[in-house]
Amino acid sequence: IQPPENPLQSEEWNRLRESFSSPEIFEDVMLNRMVKCNSPVDVAKSLLTHVAKSHGDIAYSLLVKYLALCVQQGKTSEILDVYDIMKIRFKILESGAYNLLIRGLSNSDQWRMALTLLEEVRKIMIPSRTNYESCIKAASRHQEMNLAFELYHEMLDKDLAPTLDVLQAFFDFSRGMKGPELQKELFGILFYLRDNQIYPHKTFMRSIKLWFESIPGGNWRGHLTNIKDSGQCPVCNHQLEDSELTEEEYNKLRERIIRDVIHGTDTFRKTSPQEFEAFQTFVENRLPFDIVIDGLNVSHMKPRQMQCENLFNAVNCLAKGNARLLVLGRKHMLINSSNWRKELMKEMQDKADFFFAENISEDDTFLLYATLRSGKHCKFVTRDFLRDHKACLSDSVTRHLFRKWQRGHQIAFYSSVEGKRINFLPALPYDCVVQTTGDTWHIPYKNIFEEKYSYQVPRKWLCIHQKW
């Protein structure tokens, strides 16, 4: 169904409606198409006028679709008109309408009206992340940074994770502005990236660099670099933080993970207590291991290759240098099949210890237990990010230690370009997070934008230091 290019009279709309296969949903379908085709607003308005004449009023769903079209085209006065109609006709609006109204008004010269609407939303529900971010960007655009940060903190208090887009906006709109308070707030965002192990993408990293260099009288200079394997920055010669935990930190983390995660609520959802006990006995009799491998995860490495071969290649590669390996497998791997060939399995079992769990077990807890029981030197191999387990840890200090331990012990892997080899990324001796000494900042960044978190640690860094 193609929307008309010009406004129509009532009889013309009627004719179109009658020729449509399902006349009862004609207006809904037509408005959806108008939004998709970005039709002129006056064409949509003529349809609503026709509906109001025929039915005496306009259904809520049609008003929301019309509102979406007005927001798409930034028609402020039309957005305000729809809001007035809705306010009179409906006691309460649902979140979709509020999202549109706030987004539309925050991008206009009536942006303060968006704040009034946010206030309205607060009374009936927790505003959405987009509600907050639309208002934050509007306040930042108008250089009202105190207001923007107030909304940002409110958002964090409500456990809404900001998008990288809104974090970048803070740096973009604060460029060249003075004030120790503002500086403190922006440093706070960098600490937020650190605490949550978030790596900015290239454009966000550039915004951070430009902001530092624009601080009046700050004498900051930013350079892009790769950190040496030793952890030294080639630009400022500063040594990055060590990824090793102290003995005390390691013991604390091990106790907490064994208590909160392994014996806590989430272990036995997918495994039986008997199976886990058998696993503990198995591990205690064979300690310590050097590398613990999530066998199922590695076996899906290259989808076009037999699962057994993927694991076989990984075991061969990691067994070099007489490393003691533990592979966490599943019982179905022992049944000879096209995916799991008996002779390859046998050969692998000569090079590594294998524990075969039930086919529905939860691997991560086994992986964590065996790695932590083996000691500080032990590394683990998986492409999982282990996010659920971090959530089970009850305090932020332990969560921070867990992430730091993970960064220093997780061996990531990826398939080579031609798909013939598995490349392992060794765990680094320095810590891959935003860090500062006061007169230097080191920020790891990614080449591409990824909203989703990734286990792969970036190799590129922004070094910012003060020149006096």
Side-chain angles (χ1 to χ4, degrees):
I1 180 172
Q2 267 320 95
E5 283 170 27
N6 299 303
L8 302 183
Q9 297 299 323
S10 260
E11 49 277 11
E12 295 171 296
W13 279 122
N14 273 330
R15 273 202 298 280
L16 266 183
R17 186 177 194 270
E18 278 153 23
S19 65
F20 185 61
S21 56
S22 314
E24 68 284 358
I25 55 165
F26 169 75
E27 289 83 5
D28 278 296
V29 174
M30 179 57 84
L31 275 162
N32 281 339
R33 288 296 300 160
M34 286 182 185
V35 173
K36 211 170 179 112
C37 304
N38 206 14
S39 299
V41 164
D42 54 356
V43 177
K45 209 183 263 182
S46 78
L47 175 59
L48 291 191
T49 308
H50 158 65
V51 171
K53 273 187 194 162
S54 334
H55 302 291
D57 65 3
I58 300 165
Y60 183 86
S61 64
L62 296 183
L63 282 171
V64 172
K65 291 179 170 71
Y66 173 65
L67 178 60
L69 184 67
C70 298
V71 169
Q72 202 165 281
Q73 296 181 16
K75 305 280 188 198
T76 311
S77 63
E78 276 81 1
I79 295 170
L80 289 168
D81 289 346
V82 177
Y83 176 51
D84 288 337
I85 294 168
M86 287 181 135
K87 214 165 40 177
I88 294 161
R89 292 245 341 261
F90 309 101
K91 276 258 186 311
I92 255 177
L93 310 184
E94 43 69 64
S95 58
Y98 277 123
N99 281 347
L100 285 167
L101 288 164
I102 290 173
R103 192 172 90 219
L105 293 170
S106 62
N107 284 325
S108 74
D109 53 358
Q110 298 285 327
W111 67 277
R112 285 190 183 279
M113 182 80 181
L115 297 171
T116 311
L117 282 167
L118 182 68
E119 192 53 54
E120 214 172 285
V121 175
R122 271 195 200 103
K123 288 175 188 159
I124 46 175
M125 58 183 129
I126 291 181
S128 67
R129 170 162 83 174
T130 40
N131 291 161
Y132 276 113
E133 296 201 341
S134 298
C135 293
I136 288 170
K137 282 184 191 160
S140 306
R141 244 195 317 273
H142 294 85
Q143 304 283 283
E144 298 227 8
M145 299 316 290
N146 289 346
L147 172 60
F149 276 109
E150 204 179 296
L151 292 168
Y152 165 70
H153 289 299
E154 191 182 305
M155 186 178 165
L156 291 182
D157 289 343
K158 290 187 167 33
D159 272 342
L160 295 168
T163 57
L164 297 187
D165 189 37
V166 85
L167 296 180
Q168 184 182 335
F170 279 116
F171 288 91
D172 286 339
F173 293 117
S174 302
R175 218 170 283 168
M177 287 172 79
K178 261 195 162 109
E181 247 335 286
L182 176 70
Q183 206 165 304
K184 195 172 143 211
E185 287 283 16
L186 288 156
F187 286 171
I189 291 180
L190 296 175
F191 285 122
Y192 174 83
L193 298 180
R194 174 191 170 90
D195 292 343
N196 292 282
Q197 194 179 341
I198 296 169
Y199 304 119
H201 48 81
K202 213 185 225 162
T203 47
F204 183 7
M205 175 276 296
R206 286 215 180 95
S207 295
I208 295 170
K209 177 178 183 288
L210 290 170
W211 171 72
F212 266 102
E213 292 174 343
S214 79
I215 297 173
N219 293 323
W220 291 97
R221 288 286 161 273
H223 297 272
L224 308 189
T225 186
N226 292 323
I227 301 294
K228 295 175 183 169
D229 286 344
S230 63
Q232 192 186 35
C233 170
V235 179
C236 65
N237 296 322
H238 175 72
Q239 186 68 31
L240 293 192
E241 290 172 32
D242 197 331
S243 66
E244 271 301 297
L245 302 185
T246 64
E247 209 59 52
E248 191 185 336
E249 286 174 332
Y250 180 76
N251 291 334
K252 182 184 172 187
L253 178 70
R254 184 170 66 180
E255 275 165 35
R256 292 306 289 273
I257 286 189
I258 288 175
R259 191 190 81 193
D260 292 0
V261 177
I262 293 168
H263 295 312
T265 50
D266 82 334
T267 318
F268 301 127
R269 275 185 315 203
K270 295 186 187 146
T271 184
S272 69
Q274 292 80 0
E275 181 178 51
F276 197 71
E277 262 170 47
F279 175 66
Q280 283 175 296
T281 309
F282 176 90
V283 168
E284 297 303 324
N285 291 337
R286 291 167 177 76
L287 283 174
F289 298 103
D290 298 314
I291 302 173
V292 181
I293 301 165
D294 180 343
L296 202 60
N297 194 284
V298 173
S299 73
H300 289 292
M301 170 73 221
K302 290 182 283 182
R304 285 197 301 279
Q305 200 158 304
M306 206 166 57
Q307 289 173 17
C308 192
E309 257 172 42
N310 284 333
L311 189 54
F312 182 75
N313 292 341
V315 166
N316 279 343
C317 183
L318 293 166
K320 286 175 188 147
N322 292 330
R324 293 208 54 224
L325 309 184
L326 167 62
V327 180
L328 301 173
R330 291 283 205 277
K331 287 192 171 156
H332 72 254
M333 296 176 176
L334 292 167
I335 301 163
N336 196 15
S337 66
S338 57
N339 250 331
W340 295 102
R341 297 212 326 254
K342 214 169 197 164
E343 66 278 14
L344 281 186
M345 288 301 293
K346 171 118 188 42
E347 207 175 313
M348 277 191 269
Q349 283 167 281
D350 293 338
K351 295 182 178 172
D353 280 301
F354 270 74
F355 182 84
F356 296 98
E358 289 299 336
N359 294 331
I360 53 161
S361 295
E362 171 61 272
D363 272 345
D364 294 352
T365 38
F366 288 64
L367 185 81
L368 287 173
Y369 182 82
T371 310
L372 286 162
R373 282 295 292 126
S374 291
K376 265 172 81 171
H377 73 288
C378 185
K379 306 279 192 276
F380 63 94
V381 183
T382 180
R383 281 205 289 183
D384 281 348
F385 201 57
L386 309 181
R387 291 188 72 185
D388 297 351
H389 301 296
K390 178 189 159 219
C392 291
L393 296 166
S394 47
D395 65 292
S396 59
V397 176
T398 317
R399 283 199 290 271
H400 173 73
L401 288 179
F402 177 64
R403 277 283 168 251
K404 186 171 179 178
W405 172 77
Q406 183 184 358
R407 287 190 295 270
H409 289 78
Q410 183 164 4
I411 298 175
F413 58 89
Y414 60 95
S415 185
S416 61
V417 180
E418 69 285 1
K420 292 205 170 69
R421 273 193 338 273
I422 295 180
N423 294 323
F424 288 95
L425 292 173
L428 298 167
Y430 56 89
D431 199 3
C432 242
V433 276
V434 172
Q435 44 193 276
T436 180
T437 58
D439 56 358
T440 69
W441 281 87
H442 287 90
I443 299 168
Y445 69 93
K446 299 207 153 184
N447 256 344
I448 48 161
F449 170 76
E450 281 175 344
E451 190 61 79
K452 112 183 173 327
Y453 296 77
S454 161
Y455 62 90
Q456 264 191 13
V457 167
R459 298 291 160 135
K460 296 174 184 298
W461 290 72
L462 166 65
C463 160
I464 302 169
H465 58 281
Q466 269 179 317
K467 281 213 157 127
W468 298 110

